[in-house]
Amino acid sequence: MKNTFPRHLTLDGFKVVIDCGQGAAYRVAPEVLEELGARIIAQGVDPDGENINQDCGALYPELLQETVRRTRANLGIALDGDADRAIFVDEKGEVVDGDEVMAMCATALDERGELRERTLVATVMSNLGLHLAMRARGVAVRTTPVGDRHVVEEMVRGGYNLGGEQSGHVVFLDHNTTGDGLVTALAVLALMVERGRPLSELRQVMQRLPQVLLNVTVAGKPDLDGVPAVAAAIRRAEEALGERGRVLVRYSGTEPLLRVMVEGEREAEIRQLAEAIAAAARAGIGEERATAGEGG
């Protein structure tokens, strides 16, 4: 782990709060950060075999936010139970997610000429702000279905070395073949030390666009192109937003849900567009279901 951190840098003078989610990294993560020179405030480091991810770690960063503010730490790091993802809290106590981490790291790697093929791999759930930030830099973004497995497959296929998910799975293929929260944390800390800037400033490389996500319960999963009202609502939303917005409508792979996600610059507008798609889905899919029922 320590070999992924630049040898000429040190964490001396850094106060870091680390929440290990009562999970796999409860011993290793604090030790690594301490040995690199950081002053550590550790929480979520008392696993009993049953309390993994229980109101702590990357899934529940609220305690970490409070601790960072109270102790005036430079940074908060929240790992999840199996320690393959990391969510951060800046010195102001604000959460920094995987999209922002990828934006920061991709920009830094690109500036050093180390971002292979000048390409970042992300999933369909990544915020449009990430795409716009990369487009402004001339960095391409390859998009995959949700799941770090799909991200890694695309990275290997294209020869790329950085990819990840909004949820905090970030893969640095130069160091590891899977996501690792501590490797991600060390990359962010190295960037802070190199630049001499707080995380609240570094995260400004990307401006997050408002995002509305609605779930519609469905009894079946017909092709949406075959539901005219839904297809029309999606088309109207896409036309209204143009290149400054995004519409993603997909069925859940595990639940009887249609997920409607709309991103754009104005929250009131995107909420209205998302509600229109959701209403069309309820009515359109409902009508199909009723017709099927009447036919026996």
Side-chain angles (χ1 to χ4, degrees), residues 28-70:
V28 171
E31 282 188 7
V32 166
L33 296 174
E34 282 183 336
E35 289 178 15
L36 289 171
R39 177 184 167 195
I40 296 299
I41 301 170
Q43 55 194 38
V45 290
D46 299 297
D48 62 13
E50 295 182 353
N51 61 355
I52 188 169
N53 289 325
Q54 195 172 87
D55 300 323
C56 60
L59 301 176
Y60 303 97
E62 294 80 10
L63 176 60
L64 180 64
Q65 291 177 272
E66 189 276 326
T67 306
V68 168
R69 292 188 185 107
R70 176 172 49 81

Side-chain angles (χ1 to χ4, degrees), residues 106-178:
T107 298
L109 286 171
D110 187 52
E111 288 174 350
R112 296 198 295 264
E114 296 175 4
L115 184 66
R116 288 191 204 157
E117 307 297 327
R118 299 198 72 200
T119 297
L120 170 69
V121 180
T123 76
V124 293
M125 294 305 293
S126 279
N127 192 273
L128 179 61
L130 174 63
H131 293 260
L132 296 176
M134 295 297 97
R135 186 186 304 167
R137 283 204 60 84
V139 171
V141 179
R142 295 282 181 265
T143 305
T144 75
V146 174
D148 55 329
R149 175 174 64 87
H150 298 294
V151 171
V152 173
E153 286 175 355
E154 177 63 17
M155 292 173 71
V156 172
R157 186 200 65 76
Y160 313 126
N161 61 341
L162 180 64
E165 297 187 277
Q166 188 182 69
S167 60
H169 285 111
V170 181
V171 180
F172 297 85
L173 212 53
D174 292 335
H175 299 306
N176 208 357
T177 55
T178 62

Side-chain angles (χ1 to χ4, degrees), residues 32 68 71 117 135 161 188 190 196-197 212 215 226 231 239 270 273:
V32 166
V68 168
T71 62
E117 307 297 327
R135 186 186 304 167
N161 61 341
V188 171
R197 296 168 61 194
V212 172
N215 291 321
E239 290 171 354
I270 63 172
L273 294 171

Side-chain angles (χ1 to χ4, degrees), residues 80-101:
D80 64 340
D82 61 354
D84 62 352
R85 45 182 291 217
I87 294 293
F88 298 86
V89 172
D90 68 20
E91 78 285 357
K92 297 179 180 179
E94 300 298 323
V95 172
V96 180
D97 69 11
D99 283 345
E100 293 166 297
V101 170

